[in-house]
Amino acid sequence: MKILTLENIRGLIRDFMIESHRTEEELRAEIDKYAPLARDEVKRENLDELYDEMRIRHGVLIETGAALVAPGFKPWFDATRRRNTDWFYWERYRTQLAQSGFPGPVLEAMNEKTNRVIELCGDPQGDAPFDRRGMVMGDVQAGKTGNYTALVSKAADVGYKVIIIIAGIHENLRSQTQTRIDEGLIGRNSDVSRLENVRDDGRVGVGLINPSREPSAMTTRQADFRKGQADQRIPLVNMEKEPIVFVIKKNASVLRNFLTWLKAFNLTHGGGTINQPMILIDDEADNASINVAKGPEAVSRINGQIRDLLNLFSKSSYVAFTATPFANIFIDPDLHHEEAGRDLFPEHFLIALDRPGNYYGAEKVFLGDPEDETERPTRDIEDNEPHLPLKMPKGHQVRDLPESLMTAIRTFIVAGAIRDLRKQRDKHHSMLVNVSHLTSVQTDVANLIRHRLNESIRPALNLHCSLSPEQAEANAELKAMREVFEKEYADAGVEWHNVLPLLDKVAERAAVYEVNSKSGEKLEYPEVKDAENDQVTAIAVGGYSLSRGLTLEGLTISYFLRNSKAYDTLLQMARWFGYRPDYEDLCRVWIKDEARRWYSHIAEASEELRQDLRYMAASGASPRDFGLRVQRHPSALEVTARNKAGSGQEVIVDVSLSRSRIETTVIHDNDPGDEAEENRQAAIRLHGRLADHPSKMDGESKLFEAVPSAIVKDYLQDFRNHSDAERTQTEPVIRYIEEREDENLDEWDVVFVGSEKADAATWGGFGFPLRIQGRTPASRADGKVVATSRRFSSRGVVRFGMAKEALALVRNEANNEGTKNIADSAYLARRSRPILAIHVIALLDKDTGALLDEPPVTAWTIGFPTSRKKGKTVSYQVNTIWWQQNRGEIDEEVGEALDREE
């Protein structure tokens, strides 16, 4: 009997998901169970959409993540200890999260994650002193503050008496963190004195659930730890009953005052340490905490102060939180300064938090097949000159806005109307505009946006939104809005005639905020109890404050115009990552093509970093082993040059190619020389040498298995590698192969990669019509072709030749981790033979996308399986000018921000 409507099934599935943690398979099976009972109007696609909705809303894919632990650790957080602990603070925070709508599976995952971190910290109730140092690696905007709020809540429950959270380098970030800690741990507005007669006695968040216990807040939302107040503070020893909480800026003068007070009033009589157990959370630990001083004995100020702070306590646990751990992993674990002591390398544990399935991150925004780039939510900025040049001199005045920015603003307004139609009127709605670190430029841009809103957009919408669509579109502004809707949101499930009347209301409530240390404007997102008065629709214009830490609620549209190539700087600027329930499909990012290509490369490098950590964790490796592995990974060519660039001398970089993919990212063009033709002939000769070997077609690709390594080496010698393709230098790669032929590089799979697109061009150079891949190059100049997103190949090309069982294992692991775009390193970990993939590429016009009437070019990819040989690396010779040009220095804004704060 077909009796169930779609809403009936949605209700049943919602109850099913709330009961306990569910896997994707369980969710799918439950939906399929009700399918035979569904009414005729409920189609299969409706059930598929319901599956996606519930999977995203309930985060069924969250996993605890991999952990690397140094040997010799004695566990203390056993079942008995857990059972006997009074979990007052954690249960209170957990209740708050549940009441705010956190699904049960998400809370369970958070519980498991934070238990894992706590058990790797020191035992605060034990007699022995300890100094534990670890790191938690998450994702940008992936709930990091919530995770460490849960962590310090549990730390308070297990016996830590001093909780120190070092937040960002700006006061607005520190204040935001203080507010979150007030609500999640302290339970009281820290700005309100206990003696004040205010509503609810100043209780907030968890304090409204159970106010019977309360930590002491030694900083407030308005005030960091200040020198003038230091002498009046009560010594820690007098406040031992409940924990004492400090939320301080990562600022040299604040840390100096804090250290002075701790030393003056809290040291044990006759001793040089403080006896209370302390946990220190270092938020954004890759920023300012790293020792950037030059010279083996030099220590930068903030780095030295954090080390001094840890050394003051006889029992200390240091937990670094970051989404960009590259700099932290490169800290020398053996460096010991006579006064400052050990550096901040996470020597005891390193945990990677796997992202939940409803996380909107780099993988979804930037990764995918190069042939399907139109599916991505990114939009190119091509018209920023002359108003917003990438390099802006001080004193630059912005006189007008690029049309692309105006299009982004219109998209923001249209997206807001669609969210209203989706009954999200009570949710905050934000747009990010990050075009320069110069506050004067931010002021100009904010004022120009206000002017455009007030002088053209709002009046036009006010006059025309109540008209019919045909009448409204006689106005140029409404016509532009309609064009935005058709281009971006025609498939959003709403009709233009329903969107049109709401545009006026969205634009009317939109406010422009200039978010920097000089503007004095504060962007805050209150709890929405009354949608009319509490909901915030914000266009946030800023620089560094928008680049780290600050969360923009309901971020839908981003306009990003920056030229940094530093991995950590770029990723931290990506405020558009996060959780986008029920509006992920509306999100768009305007960005320069070069920056988008770098983000794609970073996303892939980060995913491979996570894969490496998982495999090393499974083999029992330590953080030291992982640090060495990362430094010897090919990606190190982009991430380690931070303080090495500038001299122009040749340097030798040692990397390991075990379980790594390398490929030609820069190749010779058809003109002016004959290198491109030589490379086509090299591919043809390779195919000819394989004529006597058995082959098979895998889709449109031709595969040869168990090919002798001599044939592969001959091809590499034949191929004319471009000097700008650093990782595919011929001699180092051949040397690596020869050193491992006796291990697992003696037989290869060789594949000539074909395109699966039915309308792809064909090429007969191999004696049969190969359907070849089409690529739009990032650039063509000076006789070279540069790959878009730093690769000519598609993701997953290294899977060719793998056994079905091995492929199934990789895909099952990816499903369990919630990964749609499987990293190549995941395939390589399961490969038994190396693979050489030959790419014959039809070049497309960058502006029109049309196939160019010229011969194809050739490139190659090599995927190496895991090598067990210790210490064997490849030595690449790299010019440090290349470092400087291709990887970039520390973003100049970071230095300016630090100087300004200190």
Side-chain angles (χ1 to χ4, degrees):
M1 184 183 297
K2 297 184 176 183
I3 59 173
L4 296 180
T5 66
L6 183 61
E7 283 307 308
N8 294 150
I9 299 174
R10 178 178 280 107
L12 292 166
I13 297 300
R14 187 185 300 117
D15 292 342
F16 172 76
M17 295 303 296
I18 289 173
E19 286 176 6
S20 67
H21 185 78
R22 306 292 187 182
T23 66
E24 280 191 308
E25 291 75 16
E26 290 172 330
L27 171 59
R28 175 64 75 186
E30 188 71 8
I31 291 175
D32 289 345
K33 184 172 77 175
Y34 295 113
L37 301 176
R39 291 183 179 178
D40 290 338
E41 67 265 21
V42 180
K43 306 300 182 186
R44 182 72 245 181
E45 54 265 30
N46 300 133
L47 297 178
D48 290 341
E49 289 170 1
L50 178 61
Y51 166 79
D52 287 335
E53 173 192 337
M54 291 298 170
R55 181 179 61 82
I56 291 170
R57 183 180 294 276
H58 292 277
V60 300
L61 301 176
I62 289 182
E63 300 293 333
T64 303
L68 301 177
V69 182
F73 177 59
K74 295 181 179 178
W76 58 273
F77 194 57
D78 57 17
T80 302
R81 182 70 173 269
R82 296 186 193 197
R83 188 169 54 250
N84 293 339
T85 297
D86 177 7
W87 295 107
F88 173 81
Y89 287 112
W90 161 239
E91 288 298 341
R92 196 169 66 159
Y93 183 53
R94 180 177 180 146
T95 300
Q96 183 203 17
L97 293 176
Q99 290 178 352
S100 67
F102 266 61
V106 176
L107 290 175
E108 286 303 318
M110 178 180 283
N111 186 33
E112 290 300 315
K113 292 174 189 176
T114 47
N115 276 348
R116 187 70 174 123
V117 179
I118 280 290
E119 70 182 1
L120 293 173
C121 292
D123 180 2
Q125 296 183 24
D127 296 328
F130 58 82
D131 180 5
R132 299 284 295 173
R133 303 193 183 188
M135 184 170 74
V136 177
M137 172 184 168
D139 283 283
V140 176
Q141 296 289 91
K144 176 164 49 66
T145 306
N147 274 299
Y148 70 64
T149 303
L151 177 64
V152 295
S153 297
K154 290 186 174 181
D157 288 327
V158 299
Y160 279 93
K161 295 301 182 184
V162 180
I163 297 170
I164 302 170
I165 299 166
I166 303 181
I169 66 173
H170 280 287
E171 177 57 28
N172 60 350
L173 305 184
R174 188 211 67 83
S175 179
Q176 179 179 269
T177 302
Q178 180 78 60
T179 300
R180 298 283 295 276
I181 294 298
D182 285 357
E183 295 169 348
L185 174 65
I186 294 167
R188 176 185 295 276
N189 183 335
S190 53
D191 285 339
V192 177
S193 165
R194 289 186 177 89
L195 302 178
E196 291 184 56
N197 184 17
V198 295
R199 182 183 175 185
D200 294 326
D201 293 327
R203 292 193 296 272
V204 295
V206 293
L208 297 171
I209 296 170
N210 185 347
S212 62
R213 292 170 58 190
E214 181 183 316
S216 296
M218 301 291 274
T219 51
T220 70
R221 301 181 188 187
Q222 294 186 13
D224 202 341
F225 193 96
R226 294 176 179 172
K227 185 176 181 181
Q229 302 169 334
D231 294 344
Q232 303 171 23
R233 296 188 186 276
I234 303 170
L236 302 179
V237 72
N238 296 336
M239 304 175 64
E240 287 189 1
K241 187 175 181 182
E242 297 293 344
I244 305 140
V245 182
F246 301 85
V247 180
I248 62 178
K249 271 200 304 296
K250 197 176 296 187
N251 171 279
S253 59
V254 171
L255 285 165
R256 183 175 61 249
N257 294 334
F258 188 36
L259 285 163
T260 299
W261 174 73
L262 286 171
K263 292 174 182 177
F265 293 96
N266 297 283
L267 293 181
T268 306
H269 291 296
T273 59
I274 300 170
N275 283 339
Q276 283 87 355
M278 182 272 289
I279 185 168
L280 190 155
I281 306 298
D282 187 356
D283 194 9
E284 311 286 5
D286 61 301
N287 181 33
S289 300
I290 304 299
N291 184 13
V292 293
K294 295 181 179 178
E297 295 300 317
V299 179
S300 55
R301 276 190 294 175
I302 291 177
N303 173 267
Q305 288 168 327
I306 295 174
R307 289 154 76 174
D308 194 7
L309 182 55
L310 294 172
N311 294 336
L312 272 180
F313 288 83
S314 59
K315 299 178 181 179
S316 68
S317 289
Y318 169 82
V319 185
F321 274 77
T322 181
T324 50
F326 304 102
N328 304 76
I329 290 170
F330 283 103
I331 296 171
D332 186 345
D334 297 316
L335 195 62
H336 189 283
H337 191 271
E338 188 173 343
E339 293 182 8
R342 304 196 323 280
D343 206 343
L344 300 178
F345 180 79
E347 62 181 290
H348 296 116
F349 61 91
L350 199 166
I351 295 176
L353 302 179
D354 284 341
R355 64 185 65 89
N358 58 349
Y359 176 67
Y360 185 72
E363 182 186 31
K364 293 181 180 179
V365 178
F366 294 106
L367 293 184
D369 195 303
E371 292 189 281
D372 296 319
E373 294 196 3
T374 56
E375 300 297 318
R376 294 177 183 166
T378 53
R379 302 291 178 264
D380 287 349
I381 300 174
E382 298 177 337
D383 61 348
N384 54 294
E385 303 278 359
H387 306 301
L388 297 173
L390 280 177
K391 290 188 176 294
M392 295 186 194
K394 287 190 176 180
H396 176 79
Q397 186 173 358
V398 185
R399 301 186 182 280
D400 203 353
L401 301 176
E403 186 57 30
S404 59
L405 177 52
M406 292 307 303
T407 300
I409 292 169
R410 294 183 184 107
T411 308
F412 174 66
I413 294 170
V414 173
I418 296 174
R419 292 191 67 190
D420 283 2
L421 287 173
R422 292 181 180 180
K423 297 182 170 51
Q424 296 177 24
R425 178 67 181 84
D426 59 342
K427 306 296 182 185
H428 299 303
H429 183 53
S430 299
M431 174 178 179
L432 173 150
V433 180
N434 189 339
V435 295
S436 174
H437 69 281
L438 298 173
T439 54
S440 61
V441 170
Q442 295 165 25
T443 300
D444 288 347
V445 170
N447 286 332
L448 284 167
I449 293 175
R450 292 186 184 107
H451 175 74
R452 288 293 193 96
L453 281 170
N454 291 328
E455 297 301 316
S456 58
I457 293 178
R458 285 180 180 135
L461 296 181
N462 184 259
L463 287 173
H464 298 87
C465 280
S466 58
L467 303 177
S468 69
E470 294 75 17
Q471 292 173 310
E473 287 163 41
N475 175 267
E477 187 60 53
L478 270 296
K479 182 180 179 183
M481 292 276 181
R482 173 67 182 266
E483 289 172 353
V484 163
F485 174 81
E486 294 296 342
K487 181 178 180 182
E488 301 294 344
Y489 301 133
D491 297 328
V494 295
E495 300 294 333
W496 170 247
H497 66 85
N498 292 323
V499 172
L500 175 62
L502 301 176
L503 297 175
D504 180 30
K505 298 174 183 176
V506 177
E508 193 61 38
R509 64 179 184 254
V512 180
Y513 295 85
E514 184 185 340
V515 184
N516 58 49
S517 58
K518 294 183 178 179
S519 71
E521 295 182 9
K522 219 170 183 182
L523 174 53
E524 296 179 331
Y525 295 93
E527 182 182 351
V528 181
K529 297 179 180 177
D530 173 8
E532 196 60 38
N533 296 310
D534 297 336
Q535 192 267 3
V536 173
T537 299
I539 300 176
V541 181
Y544 190 79
S545 292
L546 292 181
S547 300
R548 277 188 178 267
L550 192 66
T551 298
L552 298 178
E553 299 285 347
L555 180 61
T556 310
I557 306 298
S558 301
Y559 192 90
F560 179 79
L561 188 63
R562 305 301 292 276
N563 62 356
S564 173
K565 292 177 184 174
Y567 273 31
D568 44 12
T569 303
L570 271 178
L571 273 182
Q572 290 293 352
M573 286 179 176
R575 295 292 100 190
W576 50 82
F577 299 153
Y579 298 99
R580 307 285 178 257
D582 300 325
Y583 66 99
E584 182 180 302
D585 62 314
L586 306 181
C587 295
R588 299 291 184 270
V589 180
W590 269 260
I591 193 169
K592 292 292 286 185
D593 183 60
E594 182 187 33
R596 182 182 60 80
R597 286 186 278 113
W598 272 95
Y599 269 115
S600 177
H601 178 62
I602 293 166
E604 190 148 28
S606 299
E607 190 57 37
E608 292 190 353
L609 186 75
R610 288 174 174 276
Q611 288 285 352
D612 279 342
L613 194 147
R614 291 185 191 107
Y615 296 128
M616 295 190 78
S619 65
S622 73
R624 282 174 176 257
D625 299 325
F626 183 63
L628 186 62
R629 161 67 182 166
V630 172
Q631 292 179 51
R632 290 180 172 177
H633 189 277
S635 290
L637 289 179
E638 284 81 36
V639 302
T640 62
R642 167 167 291 183
N643 293 317
K644 297 177 183 176
S647 66
Q649 66 186 13
E650 298 288 326
V651 295
I652 301 298
V653 182
D654 291 333
V655 302
S656 169
L657 298 182
S658 171
R659 202 170 64 245
S660 293
R661 185 203 76 249
I662 59 172
E663 66 175 88
T664 47
T665 59
V666 180
I667 57 177
H668 292 286
D669 206 345
N670 284 311
D671 292 314
D674 58 1
E675 293 92 344
E677 174 59 24
E678 291 182 30
N679 285 340
R680 279 189 290 273
Q681 292 303 318
I684 291 171
R685 284 192 294 273
L686 171 63
H687 188 268
R689 291 190 192 106
L690 296 172
D692 295 334
H693 287 76
S695 66
K696 63 181 180 182
M697 296 302 293
D698 187 332
E700 295 297 322
S701 300
K702 188 173 184 179
L703 174 67
F704 296 85
E705 296 178 309
V707 174
S709 61
I711 294 179
V712 172
K713 290 188 293 182
D714 285 345
Y715 169 73
L716 294 176
Q717 289 283 14
D718 271 0
F719 187 86
R720 298 286 297 275
N721 188 62
H722 196 285
S723 58
D724 288 349
E726 297 288 342
R727 281 192 264 176
T728 49
Q729 296 173 30
T730 302
E731 293 307 317
V733 175
I734 290 179
R735 190 162 56 247
Y736 182 85
I737 294 171
E738 290 176 341
E739 288 174 346
R740 286 168 173 74
E741 283 176 319
D742 63 345
E743 184 187 16
N744 57 4
L745 300 187
D746 57 330
E747 290 189 337
W748 289 62
D749 291 330
V750 177
V751 61
F752 293 82
V753 182
S755 173
E756 298 298 326
K757 289 199 166 186
D759 60 349
T762 57
W763 188 64
F766 297 133
F768 70 97
L770 176 69
R771 194 185 291 171
I772 60 176
Q773 304 164 90
R775 292 289 184 268
T776 304
S779 65
R780 293 183 76 179
D782 304 321
K784 65 181 180 183
V785 182
V786 180
T788 298
S789 303
R790 295 184 60 81
R791 64 184 307 178
F792 286 110
S793 69
S794 300
R795 284 168 63 85
V797 72
V798 296
R799 75 184 186 281
F800 283 104
M802 290 179 63
K804 291 182 179 179
E805 297 78 13
L807 284 172
L809 280 173
V810 173
R811 288 164 182 160
N812 287 337
E813 288 171 354
N815 286 335
N816 292 336
E817 293 159 5
T819 302
K820 288 186 177 179
N821 293 306
I822 302 172
D824 285 338
S825 59
Y827 290 113
L828 294 172
R830 300 289 181 183
R831 285 198 72 91
S832 57
R833 286 193 296 257
I835 182 171
L836 169 65
I838 305 299
H839 310 286
V840 182
I841 299 163
L843 294 178
L844 309 176
D845 184 88
K846 190 173 182 181
D847 295 325
T848 65
L851 179 68
L852 296 171
D853 185 17
E854 58 181 272
V857 290
T858 53
W860 58 260
T861 300
I862 286 179
F864 290 105
T866 300
S867 172
R868 304 297 177 190
K869 287 193 174 183
K870 298 290 185 182
K872 289 287 186 180
T873 58
V874 175
S875 296
Y876 287 108
Q877 188 166 299
V878 182
N879 189 296
T880 51
I881 293 299
W882 181 90
W883 289 114
Q884 196 172 38
Q885 292 174 343
N886 289 277
R887 218 226 64 168
E889 309 85 12
I890 296 177
D891 193 85
E892 59 182 318
E893 176 186 351
V894 177
E896 285 201 3
L898 289 170
D899 290 342
R900 200 161 52 238
E901 290 293 330
E902 294 180 12

